[in-house]
Amino acid sequence: TCGTGYTVSGSFVLNCVSSKYSAAGSTCVANSCVNGPITGADPKSSYSTCNTLTTGQTCTPTCTTGYTASGSFTLVCTGLNYDASGATCSANACTAGPSINSDPAAVYTGCNTLVTGNTCVPSCTSGYTQSGSFTLSCDTSGNYNGAGASCIPNACSNGPNSNIDGAATYTLCNSMVSG
């Protein structure tokens, strides 16, 4: 018989010739890893180059755009498949593109640590209201997407505090905005 990961090719009949066994006409051929990974397949990895291997050969899968390889990324064909449990693709940090801190009235807590595929929703400081779509996302190129949002000052239409001199008029003040 052949060892693990190999298959008999030809006739595997042993003949006794001159007090010795002869296995002429038979060989053990390495199996192909056509069944893909048996465990741990990362959905952000491509194993296409690994599916053409034969027993004992190694390959390095690739990560989809926006992800970087981490862990043990060299896989060994063990017969009909391979174990990919050590291969992981981690999302890249979002670092490129326009500054997300362009609106001084916006609060970007949590947005400065986005990675590929993440989204966040900035808020506005007190006295301001958001205008436009305020969701930022990190694309596969490491850019922030979601420009067009801004914080606009709230109108001061509620008049002055009640402890102000009652003889004064504040008509002009009620048309002012925050800030």
Side-chain angles (χ1 to χ4, degrees):
T1 63
C2 293
T4 302
Y6 293 84
T7 303
V8 174
S9 175
S11 171
F12 210 73
V13 176
L14 296 176
N15 295 315
C16 185
V17 178
S18 301
S19 301
K20 297 179 183 176
Y21 286 107
S22 171
S26 63
T27 57
C28 292
V29 178
N31 293 337
S32 294
C33 275
V34 294
N35 295 331
I38 53 173
T39 58
D42 187 321
K44 300 296 182 191
S45 296
S46 172
Y47 299 96
S48 58
T49 58
C50 300
N51 291 336
T52 61
L53 300 178
T54 58
T55 300
Q57 290 183 312
T58 61
C59 76
T60 303
T62 57
C63 293
T64 57
T65 304
Y67 295 81
T68 301
S70 61
S72 175
F73 233 64
T74 300
L75 306 179
V76 179
C77 178
T78 59
L80 297 174
N81 45 41
Y82 44 88
D83 182 353
S85 60
T88 305
C89 291
S90 301
N92 294 339
C94 206
T95 57
S99 170
I100 63 170
N101 295 319
S102 58
D103 188 334
V107 178
Y108 295 94
T109 305
C111 295
N112 293 321
T113 58
L114 290 183
V115 295
T116 301
N118 286 161
T119 60
C120 72
V121 179
S123 60
C124 294
T125 58
S126 179
Y128 292 82
T129 302
Q130 80 179 46
S131 173
S133 173
F134 233 49
T135 300
L136 294 176
S137 63
C138 182
D139 67 19
T140 58
S141 299
N143 295 312
Y144 289 99
N145 288 320
S150 62
C151 293
I152 57 173
N154 295 335
C156 292
S157 60
N158 295 331
N161 294 334
S162 61
N163 60 359
I164 303 290
D165 181 0
T169 60
Y170 300 97
T171 308
L172 289 176
C173 296
N174 287 340
S175 64
M176 306 300 278
V177 293
S178 295

